[in-house]
Amino acid sequence: MIDAAHLTRTLPAVVPVTLVRDVSLSIAEGEFVALTGPSGSGKSSLLYLLGLLDRPSAGTLRIRGKDTGPLDEDTRARVRLQEIGFVFQFHFLLPEFTLRENVELPMRRLARLSPAAIRHRATDLLEQLGLAGHVEKRPDQISGGQRQRVAVARALANDPPLILADEPTGSLDRKSSSQVFEILRTLSGAGGKTVVAVTHDLGLAAQTDRRLELVDGALTDPKPAPQQG
């Protein structure tokens, strides 16, 4: 799914700041990988490079075998819309829209389905994530954990093979965190999605297939997922 070679991201300045330093990694289809490390270690910066939200200063990135370096901005946006689903620490749901309408947005942008099919899929995704009976509510009418499940449904709207999650449980309580991470694990297992999640919680990282740790923008020695207990 992902092949990165010597990815580096440096911010130009009087004193340049390197956010990601010479990172090489491969992530297989259907794998669930945790990115861990201290605050400021470059985890989110690396995730944004993998998700085509930022461009590397050096190195190459292939997604499903395709070199993303030469792609123009319109093509990168199209790849993000079709191939990648994003879940962030804060849900970024539009408050004036219902839950269903929020989930419909990526599908409407892609314009691959009819309006009726878009409505049906949005409703179905919300119901699969335990939100039956809430689909016509607005975000301020549900809990934080439920809002994050809506964000997961929105990430799944166009059925992307790759899900990137940046601290998806960082603003949730322990119970809601476990529920959201269990959803991500199910997506990777039975759902066949590739999931890469930034997390500071090693207990949650224990639920993944593999843990990659960053320190000062560079990968340390590859680690298996920590064992629970």
Side-chain angles (χ1 to χ4, degrees), residues 50-52 63 79-86 155 160-164:
L50 299 181
L52 307 185
I63 296 179
V79 171
R80 289 195 300 267
L81 190 60
Q82 292 180 308
E83 305 284 334
I84 306 171
F86 296 95
L162 175 61
I163 302 295
L164 300 179

Side-chain angles (χ1 to χ4, degrees), residues 210-229:
R210 182 162 54 111
R211 177 165 66 97
L212 300 174
E213 183 178 40
L214 273 78
V215 176
D216 294 331
L219 282 178
T220 64
D221 292 335
K223 295 174 172 61
Q227 298 299 308
Q228 291 179 307

Side-chain angles (χ1 to χ4, degrees), residues 10-100:
T10 300
L11 298 179
V14 175
V15 179
V17 177
T18 298
L19 305 175
V20 176
R21 191 184 309 274
D22 195 31
V23 167
S24 296
L25 57 83
S26 292
I27 298 174
E29 291 196 23
E31 192 174 13
F32 188 4
V33 174
L35 290 178
T36 65
S39 178
S41 62
K43 303 183 298 296
S44 294
S45 296
L46 176 57
L47 199 75
Y48 296 163
L49 292 176
L50 299 181
L52 307 185
L53 293 171
D54 192 15
R55 286 186 181 269
S57 306
T60 59
L61 171 66
R62 294 181 180 274
I63 296 179
R64 307 188 95 182
K66 185 170 186 176
D67 185 2
T68 62
L71 302 181
D72 61 28
E73 289 305 317
D74 287 344
T75 305
R76 287 166 66 88
R78 190 74 177 178
V79 171
R80 289 195 300 267
L81 190 60
Q82 292 180 308
E83 305 284 334
I84 306 171
F86 296 95
V87 183
F88 298 98
Q89 178 174 353
F90 301 102
H91 52 79
F92 296 117
L93 301 178
L94 297 180
E96 67 273 23
F97 288 177
T98 66
L99 308 188
R100 174 182 54 76

Side-chain angles (χ1 to χ4, degrees), residues 3 29 40 42 53 56 98 122 128 134-135 153 161 166 186 193 224:
D3 284 295
E29 291 196 23
L53 293 171
T98 66
Q128 287 181 41
H134 299 284
V135 295
D166 188 12
T186 301
K193 307 289 186 186

Side-chain angles (χ1 to χ4, degrees), residues 164-186:
L164 300 179
D166 188 12
E167 294 283 7
T169 64
S171 61
L172 303 179
D173 59 37
R174 173 60 62 178
K175 180 179 178 181
S176 296
S177 295
S178 296
Q179 290 173 341
V180 169
F181 227 77
E182 179 61 28
I183 289 168
L184 295 177
R185 182 167 63 173
T186 301

Side-chain angles (χ1 to χ4, degrees), residues 90-162:
F90 301 102
H91 52 79
F92 296 117
L93 301 178
L94 297 180
E96 67 273 23
F97 288 177
T98 66
L99 308 188
R100 174 182 54 76
E101 289 168 338
N102 270 279
V103 176
E104 288 177 354
L105 288 173
M107 292 183 278
R108 293 189 182 281
R109 285 188 60 203
L110 188 58
R112 194 164 54 188
L113 301 174
S114 70
I118 288 172
R119 184 185 182 96
H120 176 78
R121 177 163 174 77
T123 301
D124 186 55
L125 283 169
L126 289 167
E127 290 176 349
Q128 287 181 41
L129 291 170
L131 293 165
H134 299 284
V135 295
E136 299 304 327
K137 291 182 179 179
R138 287 181 168 73
D140 64 356
Q141 297 176 301
I142 59 175
S143 70
Q146 288 172 320
R147 286 192 289 268
Q148 200 64 323
R149 278 185 270 159
V150 178
V152 173
R154 182 182 56 194
L156 293 171
N158 288 327
D159 196 24
L162 175 61

